[in-house]
Amino acid sequence: MNIVVDSALLAEALEDASKAISAKSIMPVLGCFLIEANHEGLTVTGTDDRATIQSYIFEEHVQIERNGKIVLPKLFLEMLKKLSGNVRIESKDGLNVIITSRNKEIEMAGLDPEEFPPPPSINDNEYIEITGKDLRGLFKKAIFAADIDGKGMPILTGANVYLKNGKIGMEATNRHRLSKTEKVIESGDFGSAVIEARGLVELQKIITDKDDVQFGFSKGRDDQVVYAFARTERFTFYSRVLEGEYPDIHQMVIVPDSGTRIEINKQEFLESVELIYTLAKEEKNNMVRLDVTEKEINIRGKGKQTGKASESIVPIKFTGQELTISLNSKYAMDALKALDGEKVTLVFTGKMKSIFILSNEDHQSVHVVQPYRTVD
Amino acid sequence: MNIVVDSALLAEALEDASKAISAKSIMPVLGCFLIEANHEGLTVTGTDDRATIQSYIFEEHVQIERNGKIVLPKLFLEMLKKLSGNVRIESKDGLNVIITSRNKEIEMAGLDPEEFPPPPSINDNEYIEITGKDLRGLFKKAIFAADIDGKGMPILTGANVYLKNGKIGMEATNRHRLSKTEKVIESGDFGSAVIEARGLVELQKIITDKDDVQFGFSKGRDDQVVYAFARTERFTFYSRVLEGEYPDIHQMVIVPDSGTRIEINKQEFLESVELIYTLAKEEKNNMVRLDVTEKEINIRGKGKQTGKASESIVPIKFTGQELTISLNSKYAMDALKALDGEKVTLVFTGKMKSIFILSNEDHQSVHVVQPYRTVD
């Protein structure tokens, strides 16, 4: 390989691909970038073996004097950031790599490109087209609710994404809370896939609002989804899907007609919950307690060592019965931050029943939080 | 105590005082703020028992309804940042503290104010007056060279500061490198004091360029300096000085007339050293090697696992003999970053002799780095 490319442009491509590289991998090659030069330009790949990100520099932005492949450690990105202007990257044997920039010369030991896991080969005909802004909006509303750290059931480390009935939908849960969001979109009936939430969080970071994204599923012989992918002009993201049945949450997200229903100012409520979260952040449960009456919602919480806090908010609307209920302040904060609009509606059907947190502007999104059992 | 104050103004005062609070203290009271209200206004104190910072809110900016003292944990600052506008802080017994802001009410458990270490009582008549800009400039040029983590001699965790002969001067060393800087200033002959570098780093953060600072020494009966202090309108910083003799570095900072002397572009040299530092950052020694000739300075280094890097820079001026010498790239970077001006002069008197790194614009500052012993 022998190429000349702008150091900042290459650093951007590496930055995107690096999002798929896991810091913890025990296989050295998974801590590296694969850089390939051919007549189409430059492709940079990073992978943790489940998710893969390939980013592109087209041939008009790179001078390719000899095709080839090299594999360099993540440190290469840091080194590149210390350079400016054009850099020449050259390797005769694919292992020893010489990087030159003005008077600087760097020699790095590469790994064998043949050891780098090949990118998944996908059937790419089942996808929807969506703007980066819309796709990021959907991610923001749902993914956080997954069990990202994965201490429970493996399937819950993912978000269930479906492309059917003219919609894209996402749902995620860690069994104590649940989020679901949908958007009407031109789509075939492509089914659903459980995609690792951690990978989607990284994907969310590299998509920009202005991107046009093709988001789709690649199926195997038995018509099961094997990979999900997201493709823009700059990159392709692939994620192997999680195996197993995603729990059927259909019944859980049906917002009840009965019960207590209050409408409140989102920011006011969020600030109050954040105050309690801060005070009680050393507590395992970090509980916020709501006393809901027609005249006011009293919000309070305490830390064992630190003290207690409370605030009363006047509801904009109130219907139903007065009640007292407790929930995790972090879960409440996360749901409120994910919601669009200035007002939220909370629906309660009983002291030990699911709490629904809803946006007044977006009726396609539902957040559900399980209450804590408390003693009066 | 019963006061009303703007939450942002109080948060600023707490932020300054918090710089003296050590996260590691085993005494709970040293993880707290002392807040005192009297007819002059509000005083906020943080201390780790060696350094103390007191910040002030004058009576025109705070409404004091009842004098008093409270001691609250560092968490109080975080809570305050979640509030806006005026807050009322009230305590009847000095222990239970009620903070109210609009509809929010927080109750925090305070500690006994009598347990808070009293601020040092100082003789404050021996000081110089200096702008914040100048004082920060001096700190920047010298303090980094101290043995801040203190694995060696305790006295080297400090910087030696002197106020004499119409000058303020600072020197610091960790035995492998050394920095010295001076500034001519209107000053009496107040002697010298070794001040913990860690405290000076925090002081540097809270001084602004626009501050007028009184910087001085408070002496005990035997005319020994016991405390150093820095005072502005907003705060007073006190630091108990380190006991013991500071090593006499007088001979070590005399720049030799003979030897090899090169003048080079600072930025160009710094970028080259940074590249090597990045490449070799996993190496204990992180060595950069200089081949100094009349035509060029070749700068190179390597990481065992990562590769090697080199660059040649053309010296602006060269006198003396050609030589090859190796030094710690981190020490070189630190010294270069501390220097004013676009050009630096390096002076070498032999392969195993001290390397002098000098600014061409500031003849009051000297940086010395010991070379590494290397095998050709």
Side-chain angles (χ1 to χ4, degrees), chain A residues 1-5 35-38 42 62-70 87-92 94 97-100:
Chain A
M1 185 165 98
N2 189 359
I3 62 165
V4 177
V5 64
I35 303 170
E36 292 176 87
N38 61 31
L42 215 58
V62 52
Q63 186 182 324
I64 292 182
E65 298 180 7
R66 192 169 65 249
N67 292 354
K69 291 183 192 185
I70 53 170
V87 290
R88 177 180 292 277
I89 301 171
E90 191 177 2
S91 178
K92 288 195 173 118
V97 182
I98 312 279
I99 302 126
T100 45

Side-chain angles (χ1 to χ4, degrees), chain A residues 341-360:
Chain A
E342 287 178 13
K343 294 173 197 167
V344 292
T345 293
L346 305 182
V347 182
F348 313 93
T349 55
K351 207 172 167 56
M352 289 314 300
K353 299 282 176 59
S354 299
I355 301 161
F356 290 79
I357 305 177
L358 309 167
S359 163
N360 284 18

Side-chain angles (χ1 to χ4, degrees), chain A residues 73 75 78-80 82-84 101-109 268 271-272 274-276 278-281 305-313, chain B residues 73 75 78-80 82-84 101-109 268 271-272 274-276 278-281 305-313:
Chain A
L75 178 71
E78 279 181 73
M79 300 293 289
L80 201 64
K82 299 283 170 201
L83 305 177
S84 57
S101 161
R102 298 187 203 177
N103 297 324
K104 293 182 173 67
E105 182 174 299
I106 304 165
E107 215 178 303
M108 290 186 86
E268 204 178 5
E271 281 174 16
S272 184
E274 276 183 329
L275 189 71
I276 287 157
T278 306
L279 186 71
K281 68 180 173 191
Q305 307 287 330
T306 51
K308 53 191 182 179
S310 68
E311 175 166 22
S312 289
I313 292 178
Chain B
L75 177 71
E78 278 182 73
M79 299 292 290
L80 201 63
K82 299 282 169 200
L83 306 177
S84 58
S101 162
R102 296 186 204 177
N103 296 324
K104 293 183 172 64
E105 182 173 301
I106 304 165
E107 216 177 303
M108 290 186 87
E268 204 178 4
E271 281 175 16
S272 185
E274 275 183 329
L275 190 71
I276 287 157
T278 306
L279 186 71
K281 68 181 173 190
Q305 305 289 328
T306 50
K308 52 191 183 180
S310 69
E311 175 166 21
S312 288
I313 292 179

Side-chain angles (χ1 to χ4, degrees), chain B residues 39-332:
Chain B
H39 64 281
E40 288 180 344
L42 216 58
T43 303
V44 178
T45 308
T47 182
D48 67 359
D49 216 26
R50 176 171 297 281
T52 301
I53 297 172
Q54 287 198 308
S55 49
Y56 312 112
I57 297 175
F58 293 114
E59 43 100 8
E60 59 265 37
H61 300 299
V62 52
Q63 187 182 323
I64 292 180
E65 297 181 7
R66 194 171 62 249
N67 292 354
K69 292 182 190 185
I70 53 171
V71 171
L72 285 177
K74 223 178 158 185
L75 177 71
F76 174 54
L77 173 54
E78 278 182 73
M79 299 292 290
L80 201 63
K81 286 179 183 169
K82 299 282 169 200
L83 306 177
S84 58
N86 276 346
V87 291
R88 177 179 292 277
I89 301 171
E90 192 177 0
S91 177
K92 289 198 171 116
D93 56 4
L95 289 175
N96 199 38
V97 182
I98 312 279
I99 302 127
T100 44
S101 162
R102 296 186 204 177
N103 296 324
K104 293 183 172 64
E105 182 173 301
I106 304 165
E107 216 177 303
M108 290 186 87
L111 278 74
D112 183 357
E114 298 310 313
E115 281 178 23
F116 200 90
S121 68
I122 59 168
N123 300 316
D124 62 356
N125 49 348
E126 296 198 352
Y127 62 83
I128 57 152
E129 294 191 327
I130 185 167
T131 64
K133 187 162 190 279
D134 285 344
L135 189 59
R136 293 180 67 198
L138 291 165
F139 286 157
K140 179 188 155 217
K141 285 174 192 166
I143 299 170
F144 70 88
D147 187 17
I148 294 190
D149 296 328
K151 284 164 198 151
M153 293 159 62
I155 196 86
L156 298 187
T157 63
N160 189 40
V161 181
Y162 49 89
L163 303 174
K164 52 188 172 192
N165 308 328
K167 285 177 187 168
I168 175 171
M170 298 186 194
E171 45 196 36
T173 180
N174 70 355
R175 296 195 308 145
H176 307 292
R177 61 159 164 201
L178 187 157
S179 291
K180 180 200 152 114
T181 188
E182 282 187 344
K183 191 171 178 63
V184 172
I185 199 146
E186 210 166 290
S187 168
D189 213 347
F190 303 140
S192 67
V194 185
I195 310 171
E196 217 173 38
R198 194 182 296 282
L200 294 178
V201 168
E202 298 303 329
L203 174 58
Q204 195 182 354
K205 287 181 195 161
I206 63 171
I207 294 177
T208 66
D209 282 357
K210 279 181 273 177
D211 282 328
D212 292 312
V213 189
Q214 296 179 342
F215 183 85
F217 297 150
S218 169
K219 292 176 181 168
R221 286 195 191 161
D222 53 358
D223 210 39
Q224 285 285 304
V225 181
V226 181
Y227 286 98
F229 62 90
R231 198 158 47 188
T232 72
E233 278 201 332
R234 298 190 334 269
F235 68 83
T236 304
F237 164 91
Y238 308 87
S239 178
R240 195 198 307 264
V241 307
L242 293 169
E243 282 173 33
E245 276 297 304
Y246 199 75
D248 182 4
I249 63 162
H250 183 69
Q251 290 298 323
M252 298 180 224
V253 294
I254 297 173
V255 181
D257 285 334
S258 61
T260 303
R261 184 176 275 261
I262 56 168
E263 190 179 303
I264 48 175
N265 178 291
K266 183 178 78 178
Q267 191 56 30
E268 204 178 4
F269 186 43
L270 178 59
E271 281 175 16
S272 185
V273 175
E274 275 183 329
L275 190 71
I276 287 157
Y277 173 75
T278 306
L279 186 71
K281 68 181 173 190
E282 303 294 329
E283 309 288 319
K284 198 180 157 227
N285 288 333
N286 204 320
M287 189 168 85
V288 58
R289 184 178 174 123
L290 309 179
D291 281 312
V292 181
T293 66
E294 187 159 3
K295 273 170 62 185
E296 61 173 33
I297 319 295
N298 183 265
I299 300 146
R300 58 204 158 99
K302 61 183 176 205
K304 264 186 205 121
Q305 305 289 328
T306 50
K308 52 191 183 180
S310 69
E311 175 166 21
S312 288
I313 292 179
V314 177
I316 303 164
K317 282 187 197 162
F318 175 95
T319 55
Q321 298 213 301
E322 301 188 344
L323 92 165
T324 295
I325 199 163
S326 295
L327 71 160
N328 181 303
S329 58
K330 176 72 163 60
Y331 291 175

Side-chain angles (χ1 to χ4, degrees), chain A residues 138-150:
Chain A
L138 290 165
F139 286 157
K140 179 189 154 214
K141 285 173 192 166
I143 299 169
F144 70 88
D147 187 17
I148 294 189
D149 296 326

Side-chain angles (χ1 to χ4, degrees), chain B residues 25-48:
Chain B
S25 174
I26 45 161
M27 279 176 66
V29 78
L30 296 185
C32 291
F33 299 104
L34 171 68
I35 303 170
E36 292 176 88
N38 62 32
H39 64 281
E40 288 180 344
L42 216 58
T43 303
V44 178
T45 308
T47 182
D48 67 359

